[in-house]
Amino acid sequence: MKVVIVGGVAGGASAAARIRRLDENAQIIVFERTGYISYANCGLPYYVGGVITDENQLTLQTPGSFWDRFRVDMRVRHEVTAIDTEKKIVTVCGLDTGKTYEESYDKLILSPGAKPTQPNMPGIDSDKIFTLRTVEDTLKVHKFISAEKPKTATVIGGGFIGIEMAENLAELGLKVSLIEYADHLLAPLDFDMACAVHAQMESHGIRLMLNTAVTGFETKENTTVTKTAGGCEIASDIVLLSIGVTPDTALAKEAGLELGLKGSILVNDKMETSAQDVYAVGDAVEIRHFVTGKKALISLAGPANKQGRIAADNICGGNSVYRGSQGSSVIKVFDMTAASTGINEAAAKAAEIDYERVVLSPASHAGYYPGGKVMTMKVLYEKKTLKLLGAQIVGFDGVDKRIDVLATAIRAGMKATALADLDLAYAPPYSSAKDPVNMAGFMIENIVTEKVKQFHHDEVDALPRDGSVTLLDSRTPMEYAGGHADGFMNIPVDDLRERLSEIPKNKPVYVMCQSGLRSYLACRILSQNGYNCYNFSGGYRFYNLVKQ
Amino acid sequence: MKVVIVGGVAGGASAAARIRRLDENAQIIVFERTGYISYANCGLPYYVGGVITDENQLTLQTPGSFWDRFRVDMRVRHEVTAIDTEKKIVTVCGLDTGKTYEESYDKLILSPGAKPTQPNMPGIDSDKIFTLRTVEDTLKVHKFISAEKPKTATVIGGGFIGIEMAENLAELGLKVSLIEYADHLLAPLDFDMACAVHAQMESHGIRLMLNTAVTGFETKENTTVTKTAGGCEIASDIVLLSIGVTPDTALAKEAGLELGLKGSILVNDKMETSAQDVYAVGDAVEIRHFVTGKKALISLAGPANKQGRIAADNICGGNSVYRGSQGSSVIKVFDMTAASTGINEAAAKAAEIDYERVVLSPASHAGYYPGGKVMTMKVLYEKKTLKLLGAQIVGFDGVDKRIDVLATAIRAGMKATALADLDLAYAPPYSSAKDPVNMAGFMIENIVTEKVKQFHHDEVDALPRDGSVTLLDSRTPMEYAGGHADGFMNIPVDDLRERLSEIPKNKPVYVMCQSGLRSYLACRILSQNGYNCYNFSGGYRFYNLVKQ
Ligand SMILES: Cc1cc2nc3c(=O)[nH]c(=O)nc-3n(C[C@H](O)[C@H](O)[C@H](O)COP(=O)(O)OP(=O)(O)OC[C@H]3O[C@@H](n4cnc5c(N)ncnc54)[C@H](O)[C@@H]3O)c2cc1C
Ligand SMILES: Cc1cc2nc3c(=O)[nH]c(=O)nc-3n(C[C@H](O)[C@H](O)[C@H](O)COP(=O)(O)OP(=O)(O)OC[C@H]3O[C@@H](n4cnc5c(N)ncnc54)[C@H](O)[C@@H]3O)c2cc1C
Ligand SMILES: CC(C)(COP(=O)(O)OP(=O)(O)OC[C@H]1O[C@@H](n2cnc3c(N)ncnc32)[C@H](O)[C@@H]1OP(=O)(O)O)[C@@H](O)C(=O)NCCC(=O)NCCS
Ligand SMILES: CC(C)(COP(=O)(O)OP(=O)(O)OC[C@H]1O[C@@H](n2cnc3c(N)ncnc32)[C@H](O)[C@@H]1OP(=O)(O)O)[C@@H](O)C(=O)NCCC(=O)NCCS
C-alpha cells in the first residue's frame, strides 16, 4: 500500500505515524509545503514572545528523525499542486528546484490546514504586516523584531492567535493596540464572559478597540497606519493580522472534492471525502458539532490529531469513527485563563435551542487555604431535556480543570443536574468539598425544581424604576455603599426576616447580591413568605464586569 | 417541623443550611460536642504547619453567624448521649454545665463523623501522643509545639492525615519519622504508584518506616519512645497518631439502629436509617461503592456534604437519592500531588474483577512550552465490559485535573476506550493536543484491539534469563548505560528494523523502554515481523521507581 499525505503537521504527521504503527509495509510519503514538519503551531506566539527560546523546540520531529523512527518519507518544501482522483496521482512541485513531478497513491490523506484569512484591503501588502501560521512566518516576525526593535504594535483580530500575539508582544515591551470587529474578544465566549478578559488585557496595558472595522493600511514614514471605518488612524511599527482562518482547500476544490462551509472539505465520520480512497482531516474539513449536530468548522489541534489517527485506522483496515468536535478550548491571557466547551449563548440562540444558564463565582479552592482565586463560570443547558450544552470559565486558577470536567460531562451526555453528583477529588489546595462544578449542578437543580427563578444582566436596565417592582440588594450596607445597581434598595440577607414588612407583598421582587448566593437565600426566604421573586444571575460582581 | 441534628460540621451543617433554604418554618437545632461548628477538618494540618495562620479561618461559620443567616440553633459543647427512636427524643448533655436534658424531634439527622482509631497499646495515654480530628485537637498540638518546641516527631499511619501532618511538621523544621504498617503509604494507591510518594517524602527528609507495626510507647526522660514489632525504638518529642478513622456510632448503636461495616450506620439511598424519621450521613454511614456496588466506608468531605444535602431534601418532602461514592481523593505531598478515583488493583482483586491496566508518563503540558512536569498515571478497566474502574495519578502539575476528568468519565459510565475521544481543552500552557487522558484511551484501545500485549513490573523478575526468551531494551545506548533491567539487551527502536536478525524469531520478546512508548513502537515492528512480543507497562522509569 502506498499512502500519500498532504501536510506534515498536526493531522498529517499524526496520521503518518499511526499508519506506520499499523502497517510496517506501507510506503508513506508526506508532502509539506513549508520547510518544517510536526511543528508546534500553538507554540509559535510564545517563540515570538521569548517564552520558548530555542527554535528547535518548535518542531517535535524533523524529516530525519521521522524517517529514523517511522520510515516515512517526509518531503519538505514540496507542494502538492494537483490531485487526479481518477488516476490516483498527485502532482508535486519541489519548491527549491521548481521541478514538478507526479506521485501515485493507493490512499491519499489531505491535512492542508487553514490559512490566515487575508482581507482584500488597500495597503495589505506592506512588509510590516505579518500573519502567523508556519515556522517561517514566526521566524520572520522574530527577525523583524530583533532587527527593527519596534516599539508599537497593532494586532488585528481578537481570537486566540490575536490575543496570544498581543500578550507576547506586550511582554516584549511593545505598546500594543488590539482591534476587534465584534463587540468582544474570543468568539467562543459570550460578551458577558469576555468582559473579564477585556479588563485583563487593559490592565496589562493593551489598548482595546472593539466594534472596530479595519478598512486599510498606509505606510507613513517608518510606521504602518491602520485605518478604521470610524476614521481612526493607528500608527505602529508592526502589524499582526489574525482575523481568523480559512480552510486551505484550493487543491481539494480543483480536484473536484465536495466542499462544505467556507470551502472546507466534506468528509463522513470515517474521514472519507467524496473521492474514492481520499481522506481529509484537520482544520480543512467540515465536521459535525458534537453538541448541536450541525455542520461546523473547528480549527483546533486536538481534533486534527485525533482525526489523523482515525483516518489512519480506516486506511489500515480498521473501523474508527469521529464523533464530532465540541470546540473545547483554553487560552492563557497573561496570568488569566479563559476556557470554553460546547456552545455559548450566541450559538444556542442561532441553533434555536431553548436554553437556560447559571453564572457563578466559585473560588478555585477552599477559602481557608491560601492562594485561592475566584473564577466566573457559566454553564448552559437545554431547558426541556436538561442536556448540557456548553460552559465558559474565566479566572486565574483551576479554570482548565473545570472546563475539562464539564467537557467530559458533555461528551458523556450527562444531564446538567448530574453535575451535582460528580464525585470529584477534594483537598484544600485543590478544590472545595463542593467543587465549582458540583455547585453549578446544585444551582441548576434549584432552577429546574423551581426553587428559584432568575433574571439576567441584560434584563436589569429594562426593570421598572417606578415602584411597581421591588429591586433589592441583599448585601451588607458596606458592600452596597461601595457600588450597586441603579434603583436597588438595601436589606442585608441576615436582616431580611425582620425587615420583610419593608417589602410590599404584591409586587415582584428582584434580588441581587455580590455573587448570587445571598440573593438566592433571600429569594428562598421571600418566596416562602409569599413573594414572587427573582434572583440575579451572577451577582453584582458579574453585573459590574459586564456594565463597565 | 422540628429537626434535630447531631454533629455540626460537614454533613450536619450542610443539612441544616439546606433545610432552612427549603423550609423557613422548620425549627432546627444542631448539637455539636466540640466548641466549634462548620470547621475545616481538612485544613487542620495546615494550621499546625503554619500555612493557615488565623485560627478563625478554621471555621466557616460560628453559631452566631449561622443563627443570623439560617436561624439555626447551634448548640456547641452539647453532646447527644441517647436517642429514643420510639418516643422521638434525644438526651443531651451540656458539657459546660454538666446538665442533661431531653429534646424531641420530628426528624433526626446523625452526622457524628468518625473518630481517630485508637489502638489499645501500652503507653498510648501519654500526653505527648496526639490525634487530629477537631479544632480543639489542633489547638492542643499547636500549643504544644509553640511551648515545647519539639525537634523530632513520629507520625504513625501513612494515610492522608498522617502524610499531611508529616509534611506540615517537617515544614516547621521537625525531623519526622513516619511509620506505616502496610508496605506503602496512601492505601487508595497501589504499591507501585505509591513508590513515587515514598521517594518524595524521603527527599524531603522524612524517615519512612514501612511494613512496621507499632506495639507501644514509653516515656523516657522528655521523649516518647515508639516501639515496633521488629524491636525498633524511635524516640521523639511528639507523636501523632493517625492510623485511620472509625465511625463514631456508639450513640447509634445504643439507640438500636442497624449497623454495617466497622459499626457504621446502615442507610438506604435516601440516607434513611433503620429507624423511622432518623437519617444519617457522612463518615458515620456505610455507603455503596459507586464502582463495585459493594458496601464501603468512605470518609471524605465531598460525600458528607452531598449526603447532608440529600437528607435535607428528603426531610423536606423531596426525593433525592445518593448514588454512591467513588472515593475520588487528592493530596498534596510537598510540591507533589497524588490522586485517585474509583478502585485500585488491590480492590479490583478483592472484588474478583478481571481487570487490565495501563501505566503512562505523560507531561502535564506540551513539551515545548516551559514548566511541564511528567506525571505517572494508571488507569484500570474491566477486561470484558471495558468499564472504567479507577485511576491513580502521581505528579507535580495537572494531576488534580486529570483525576477529575477520569472521575467524571467513571461517573458517566463511559467505556475505557471512550477516553480516546474526549474533547479536552488544549493550549500549550495547559495540556497537549493529545491530553494524558486521551493517551490512556489510545493505549487501552491498542490493548483491546490486540495491537499490543503487555507485561508488568511484577512479572519481570520471573522472566527466564536462560535465553529461552529475548529481553529487549529499545532505548538509546546512553539511556541503557545509565541503568537497565537485569538481563535486557539493547537495540534502540530506531535501529530495530535493520537489526531484526539479532533477535531470534521463535522466542517471545519482552520489550522495555523509558516510558512504554518506544517499546510499543518496537512491539509493533516486531509483531508485524512475526514475533510474539510484550510491551513493558510503564517503562523503565516506572520499573526503577518500583524496584528502588
Ligand atoms: C499561532 C497558532 C496558535 C494556535 N494555538 C492553538 C492552541 O493553543 N490550541 C489548539 O487546539 N489549536 C491551536 N492552533 C490550531 C492548530 O494548530 C490547528 O488546529 C492544527 O495545527 C490543524 O492541524 P492540520 O493538520 O489541519 O493543519 P496544520 O497543522 O496547519 O498543517 C497543515 C500543513 O499542510 C501544509 N500544506 C497545505 N497545503 C499544502 C499543499 N498543497 N502541499 C503541501 N503542503 C501543504 C501547510 O504548509 C501546513 O504546514 C493554533 C494555530 C496557530 C497558527
Ligand atoms: C485532619 C483531617 C483532614 C482531612 N482532610 C480531608 C481532605 O483533604 N479531603 C476530604 O475530602 N476529606 C478530608 N477529611 C475528612 C472530612 O473532614 C470528613 O470526611 C468530613 O468532615 C465528614 O463529615 P461528617 O459530617 O460526617 O463528620 P465531621 O465533619 O467529623 O463532623 C462530625 C461532628 O459531630 C460531632 N459529634 C459526634 N458525635 C456527637 C454527639 N453524640 N453529640 C454531638 N456532637 C457529636 C463531632 O464533634 C464532630 O464535630 C479530613 C479529616 C481530618 C480530620
Ligand atoms: C509528533 C507527532 C508526529 C507524534 O505523533 P504520534 O506518534 O501519533 O504521537 P505521540 O508521540 O504522542 O504518541 C502517541 C502514540 O504512542 C502511544 N503511547 C503513548 N504513551 C505510551 C506508553 N507509555 N506506552 C505505550 N504506548 C504509548 C499512544 O497509544 C499512541 O499510539 P497509537 O496512536 O498507535 O495509539 C505528531 O503529534 C505531530 O506532528 N505533532 C506536532 C504537530 C501538532 O500537533 N501541532 C499542533 C499542536 S501544537
Ligand atoms: C459552611 C456550610 C454550612 C455551608 O453550607 P451551604 O450553605 O450548604 O453551602 P454553601 O455556602 O457552599 O452554599 C451552597 C448553596 O448556595 C447555592 N449557590 C452557590 N453559589 C450560588 C450562586 N452564585 N447563585 C445562586 N446560588 C448559589 C448552591 O446552590 C447551594 O444551595 P442549595 O444547597 O440550596 O442548592 C457547610 O458547608 C459547612 O459547615 N462547611 C464546613 C465543614 C466542612 O465541610 N468540613 C469538611 C471540609 S474541610
Side-chain angles (χ1 to χ4, degrees), chain B residues 102-221:
Chain B
E102 292 188 338
E103 195 73 57
S104 68
Y105 65 81
D106 297 316
K107 305 280 179 182
L108 176 66
I109 302 182
L110 304 178
S111 189
K115 50 181 198 276
T117 306
Q118 199 79 7
N120 194 352
M121 271 179 197
I124 189 92
D125 295 329
S126 157
D127 59 1
K128 285 174 181 150
I129 303 180
F130 298 87
T131 56
L132 208 68
R133 177 191 184 189
T134 63
V135 175
E136 284 87 347
D137 294 343
T138 311
L139 298 179
K140 231 167 80 183
V141 176
H142 194 265
K143 201 172 142 193
F144 179 87
I145 292 175
S146 306
E148 307 287 328
K149 311 233 177 320
K151 303 244 165 332
T152 52
T154 300
V155 175
I156 302 169
F160 295 115
I161 300 177
I163 290 182
E164 287 176 352
M165 281 307 295
E167 170 181 336
N168 276 288
L169 292 170
E171 295 283 24
L172 284 179
L174 278 78
K175 178 89 196 106
V176 180
S177 302
L178 174 52
I179 305 180
E180 166 59 49
Y181 180 74
D183 64 355
H184 69 282
L185 303 178
L186 287 175
L189 299 186
D190 290 312
F191 171 79
D192 51 11
M193 293 297 293
C195 288
V197 178
H198 300 165
Q200 169 77 350
M201 294 290 276
E202 286 175 339
S203 81
H204 281 80
I206 290 169
R207 174 182 173 206
L208 273 194
M209 301 177 69
L210 301 171
N211 297 303
T212 304
V214 170
T215 52
F217 306 92
E218 203 183 315
T219 306
K220 277 193 188 164
E221 284 152 34

Side-chain angles (χ1 to χ4, degrees), chain A residues 8-19 21-22 37-44 58-61 66 69-70 74 300-302 304-305 309 313, chain B residues 358-362 366 368 426 428 432-434 438-446 451-452 454 513-521 524 535-539:
Chain A
V9 195
S14 291
R18 174 75 173 166
I19 293 171
R21 286 191 287 269
L22 297 179
I37 60 154
S38 289
Y39 56 84
N41 327 48
C42 321
L44 302 180
L58 290 178
T59 47
L60 280 73
Q61 296 273 357
F66 220 99
R69 181 137 309 165
F70 295 111
M74 284 283 184
L300 291 168
N305 271 277
R309 189 170 179 275
D313 282 355
Chain B
V358 292
V359 175
L360 60 163
S361 329
Y368 55 81
Y426 162 60
S432 296
K434 296 165 184 163
N438 293 137
M439 205 61 106
F442 297 147
M443 290 168 64
I444 291 168
E445 202 188 283
N446 290 334
K451 296 203 170 53
V452 69
Q454 300 193 104
C513 72
Q514 187 65 11
S515 74
L517 170 49
R518 282 173 291 170
S519 49
Y520 160 58
L521 302 178
R524 292 299 306 152
N535 184 30
F536 182 68
S537 165

